């Protein structure tokens, strides 16, 4: 099963390689990994997407916690949360298909961020599903290049009952 | 008033003194010259080794013998990379140690400078934690943290890489009182509810077994283990790393379990209905085929490291905590004598069964009078000659297993072996470290003729510091354990395991200024051991010419269940 894990780490030299080394050394999967500073510049957040059964996930979280540089580990899987990825897609555009591309962009609430005589570059955010969907729709026009971030996630706030 | 400033090297020495370090193991070089200059008149004993790997194993042996962290100083580049096997050895066995490496000046890092190696990168997966000190202002905090991390929780080696310019920069000496590490908070106290559950499970069982590991030694919990075991009368086995954690001569002791464990220990673990694992980690050499390990048992597992729990074997009652603290709480949680008497009555039959197993297949060997020396006999004679009062270290292979089987360890920290990594060349330097920790004690390295040649150069170190370490080479002229596997599993195709050329060990010892002795016949064994034990001011190397075809029994072939033992 796929899990999204958030890891707060001390923002220090070598920390990324500690985490990456743990995953490769113990044969755990990393599907994607995003890192950036938090509000506190001494702390970074890594969002890791990984797969494995319950016992593998238990080991992943225990091993992460065991690293001295890791402050907190949180698995989002069991709770309501928001996930986002961002993709930049460069599409071959010509006079015949421009309108169609723009309407897809519109439907997905994506944005055209760069235009050239022969291309459109589209920025899209959403969960993985949404990004896969737009990629499929754009494919027939000819995708020249695609760049995707990994996934980031945040828990939803508790709703008042 | 401003205190006087000191340079990084002087600060380093002050920090070690604050940590109570008395002995360091090291080898100099360009990047650590500032430290060696400061060491020149420092009140610290520095042991000059002959190879950096030796320094790390010595620090390791020192730490295993007395429980205090071993300290190593080496230079950058090759000095640092030479420590890797030693660090990995200590890491696998959770030994507290701090290794200080020199590094090229910060401005040169990353430039392929002379004797530059990314030792922090190299040792990341085999240290508990490691540091590169980039600023003199961080040096004292990092050293404080390094010792703290190495010695607390599940202990382990920590490496501190110190660029040369940091060692010469100046700052005030102001050693931090406390460590502030939010992200590192080991759990020491076990959950009371879980302890209660464990106690109930044990008392409801009819065929309980205690399986104790190196964690009991590391946590200094032998007395607590013994108290719980004796109170309940539970048959007890230990891992290789746990030997000495429970008295080897105790009537409830079944011997070691696992690949070369005793018949009774392996049968008991296979048939138990309640396995109490204490400071052990279900290593594959212990469990054999994992799906058939302790198949009838509810498993209780006490360990300070949460990652050890339910890693290989699913555990019914996990207790995360320091073994000593948990055992003390467990003892308190035991019910009144009446309930315990009832439990003992219920387990009588089981104890009788365990006894019967022990009697049917004892550890044994056959020494023929005119025949070759049996290696097991050497160990037994050593046991009798020392009355068990010795620290035994081992190399790796058959010698290690015979030392585990035929010497009885009544006290913790008297059996020192590379269990996790299985590092040939460990035993001799480790014996030197142990001897430095306990100068008055008899320290013997049980060696193979293969392993001893991996760090033989440390004979010079032992001679230089007048250390009466004994090395007993069980010389079978082969890489015995590998040969044994070839005999059993590779159709006796003895591919590259015969060391047909070997030095004259007696002359070799003498060349180094040590004592060299040799025993060729069974009759010579005892007198030679006695003679070796008499030497008090220099190392002794004894060459026992043993039967090259002797095998270690029992043996559970790798991947087989524990009750499928090959017996003599
Ligand atoms: C550094 C290292 N290299 C290789 C091995 C693999 N190995 C395990 S036991 C063994 C044979 C050891 O031979 P020896 O030291 O003569 O001991 P014996 O088994 O004969 O007692 C070998 C090569 C090892 N454990 N460590």
């Amino acid at each position: 099963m796929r899990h999204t894990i958030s890891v707060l780490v001390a923002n220090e030299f070598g920390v990324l390689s500690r985490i990456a080394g743990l995953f490769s050394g113990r044969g755990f999967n990393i599907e994607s990994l995003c890192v950036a500073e938090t509000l506190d510049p001494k702390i970074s957040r890594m969002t890791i997407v990984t797969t494995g059964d319950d016992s593998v996930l238990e080991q992943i979280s225990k091993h992460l916690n065991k690293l001295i540089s890791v402050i907190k580990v949180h698995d989002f899987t069991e709770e309501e949360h928001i996930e986002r990825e961002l993709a930049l897609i460069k599409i071959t555009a010509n006079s015949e298909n421009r309108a169609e591309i723009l309407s897809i962009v519109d439907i997905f609430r994506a944005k055209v961020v760069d235009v050239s005589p022969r291309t459109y570059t589209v920025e899209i955010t959403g969960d993985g599903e949404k990004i896969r969907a737009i990629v499929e729709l754009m494919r027939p026009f000819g995708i020249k290049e695609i760049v995707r971030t990994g996934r980031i996630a945040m828990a939803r706030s508790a709703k008042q009952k | 008033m401003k205190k006087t400033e000191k340079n990084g090297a002087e600060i380093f020495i002050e920090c070690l003194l604050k940590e109570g370090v008395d002995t360091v193991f090291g080898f100099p070089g360009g990047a650590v010259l500032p430290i060696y200059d400061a060491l020149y008149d420092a009140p610290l004993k520095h042991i000059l080794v002959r190879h950096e790997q030796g320094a790390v194993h010595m620090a390791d042996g020192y730490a295993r013998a007395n429980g205090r962290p071993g300290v190593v100083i080496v230079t950058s580049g090759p000095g640092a990379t030479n420590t890797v096997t030693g660090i990995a050895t200590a890491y696998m066995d959770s030994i507290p140690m701090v290794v200080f490496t020199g590094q090229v000046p910060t401005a040169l890092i990353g430039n392929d400078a002379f004797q530059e190696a990314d030792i922090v990168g190299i040792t990341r997966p085999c240290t508990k934690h490691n540091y590169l000190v980039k600023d003199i202002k961080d040096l004292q905090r990092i050293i404080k943290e390094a010792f703290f991390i190495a010695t607390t929780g599940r202990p382990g080696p920590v490496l501190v890489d110190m660029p040369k310019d940091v060692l010469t920069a100046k700052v005030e000496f102001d050693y931090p009182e406390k460590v502030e590490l939010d992200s590192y908070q080991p759990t020491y106290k076990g959950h009371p509810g879980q302890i209660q559950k464990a106690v109930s499970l044990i008392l409801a069982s009819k065929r309980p077994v205690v399986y104790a590991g190196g964690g009991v030694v590391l946590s200094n919990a032998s007395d607590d283990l013994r108290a719980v075991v004796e109170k309940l009368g539970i048959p007890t086995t230990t891992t290789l790393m746990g030997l000495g954690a429970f008295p080897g001569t105790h009537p409830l002791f079944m011997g070691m379990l696992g690949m070369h464990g005793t018949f009774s220990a392996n049968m008991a673990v296979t048939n138990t209905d309640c396995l109490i694992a204490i400071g052990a980690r279900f290593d594959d050499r212990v469990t054999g085929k994992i799906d058939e390990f302790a198949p009838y048992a509810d498993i209780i597992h006490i360990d300070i490291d949460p990652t050890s729990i339910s890693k290989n074997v699913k555990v019914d009652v996990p207790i995360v905590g320091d073994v000593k603290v948990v055992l003390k709480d467990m003892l308190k949680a035991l019910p009144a004598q009446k309930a315990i008497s009832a439990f003992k009555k219920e387990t009588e039959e089981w104890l009788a069964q365990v006894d019967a197993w022990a009697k049917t297949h004892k550890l044994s060997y056959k020494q023929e009078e005119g025949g070759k020396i049996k290696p097991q006999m050497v160990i037994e004679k050593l046991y009798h000659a020392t009355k068990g009062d010795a620290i035994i270290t081992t190399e790796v292979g058959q010698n290690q297993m015979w030392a585990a089987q035929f010497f009885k360890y009544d006290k913790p920290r008297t059996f020192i072996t590379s269990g996790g990594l299985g590092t040939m060349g460990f035993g001799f330097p480790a014996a030197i470290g142990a001897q430095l920790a306990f100068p008055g004690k008899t320290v013997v390295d049980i060696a193979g003729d293969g392993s001893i040649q991996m760090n033989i150069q440390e004979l010079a170190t032992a001679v230089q510091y007048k250390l009466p370490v004994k090395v007993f080479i069980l010389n079978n002229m082969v890489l015995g354990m590998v040969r044994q596997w070839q005999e059993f599993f590779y159709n006796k195709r003895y591919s590259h395991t015969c060391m047909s050329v070997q030095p004259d060990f007696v002359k070799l010892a003498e060349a180094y200024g040590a004592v060299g002795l040799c025993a060729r016949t069974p009759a010579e064994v005892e007198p030679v051991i006695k003679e070796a034990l008499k030497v008090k001011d220099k190392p002794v190397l004894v060459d026992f010419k043993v039967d090259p075809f002797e095998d270690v029994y029992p043996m559970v072939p790798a991947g087989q269940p524990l009750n499928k033992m090959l017996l003599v």
Side-chain angles (χ1 to χ4, degrees), chain B residues 18-147:
Chain B
K18 281 272 186 193
E19 288 295 335
V21 173
D22 55 14
T23 309
V24 298
F25 302 88
F27 200 84
V32 284
L33 274 171
I35 287 185
Y36 274 83
D37 190 55
L39 269 173
Y40 193 63
D41 36 26
L44 269 175
K45 184 165 192 168
H46 176 278
I47 304 297
L48 178 64
V49 302
R50 298 302 185 268
H51 187 297
E52 289 89 349
Q53 184 186 353
V56 185
H57 292 327
M58 285 179 207
D60 183 322
Y62 174 92
R64 291 186 204 229
N66 75 4
R68 291 170 50 195
V71 178
V72 175
I73 306 169
V74 298
T75 193
S76 66
T81 53
N82 270 349
T83 65
V84 172
T85 301
I87 294 174
T89 303
Y91 183 65
M92 286 291 270
D93 290 343
S94 310
I95 304 305
M97 173 188 296
V98 185
V99 176
F100 293 95
T101 50
Q103 182 54 280
V104 302
T106 42
L108 292 183
I109 291 179
N111 282 356
D112 303 324
F114 177 63
Q115 294 195 330
E116 179 184 357
D118 174 15
I119 196 64
V120 169
I122 291 170
T123 59
R124 213 168 266 137
C126 63
T127 51
K128 185 171 171 187
H129 196 56
N130 61 16
Y131 294 92
L132 170 64
V133 187
K134 284 188 160 169
D135 188 330
I136 176 79
K137 291 207 275 315
D138 299 327
L139 182 64
Q140 310 177 49
R141 172 185 58 81
I142 287 176
I143 295 178
K144 178 88 189 173
E145 286 180 9
F147 278 93

Side-chain angles (χ1 to χ4, degrees), chain B residues 542-555:
Chain B
V542 189
D543 183 2
F544 293 93
K545 307 276 192 203
V546 301
D547 183 348
F549 286 101
E550 191 63 17
D551 289 320
V552 179
Y553 286 104
M555 176 169 191

Side-chain angles (χ1 to χ4, degrees), chain B residues 395-400 402 421-424 447-452 454 474 476 478-482 499:
Chain B
E395 301 297 339
V396 171
Q398 295 181 314
N399 60 84
Q400 180 182 32
W402 288 318
L421 200 66
T423 306
M424 290 172 68
D449 49 299
S451 300
I452 191 61
M454 286 209 172
L474 306 179
N476 50 14
V478 287
L479 298 169
M481 187 56 95
V482 183
M499 301 245 243

